[in-house]
Amino acid sequence: MDHVGVIVEDLDAAIAFFVRLGFEEGGRGTVEGRPVDRIVGLEGVRSEVAFVQTPDGHGRLELIRFLSPPAEGRRDLPANTFGLRHLAV
């Protein structure tokens, strides 16, 4: 496994949170364009991304903030909903 992607609302706050847990900040940038649209299955994608990794370099998270289209989500989904439910560090 290379990394796990996590969609976040506030990229700076997410980076700060994981750095406080002992992760190290990695690269950061913006992604957009037709190749990205095809990969994620959305049109007009523009996202800020940042990587954080464990100090030993064996675990990485890709933190993603969608600028367009805006992220959607419900916070009241039951625990048995498909998708990433928790991350244990």
Side-chain angles (χ1 to χ4, degrees):
M1 177 175 70
D2 182 67
H3 68 277
V4 173
V6 180
I7 310 304
V8 300
E9 188 173 0
D10 183 329
L11 191 59
D12 292 325
I15 293 168
F17 172 79
F18 285 106
V19 167
R20 282 193 303 273
L21 289 179
F23 283 69
E24 298 171 350
E25 191 171 348
R28 186 174 179 160
T30 302
V31 296
E32 60 187 310
R34 291 190 55 79
V36 178
D37 291 356
R38 282 194 305 270
I39 290 168
V40 300
L42 296 169
E43 292 291 324
V45 172
R46 187 166 166 264
S47 299
E48 293 179 312
V49 297
F51 281 92
V52 292
Q53 67 182 22
T54 56
D56 64 7
H58 293 293
R60 293 192 322 154
L61 293 175
E62 179 183 15
L63 305 173
I64 307 159
R65 177 177 172 248
F66 277 85
L67 303 170
S68 68
E72 297 179 10
R74 291 182 38 203
R75 298 179 192 268
D76 62 342
L77 296 174
N80 63 345
T81 302
F82 289 115
L84 182 64
R85 296 305 303 167
H86 71 273
L87 176 67
V89 239

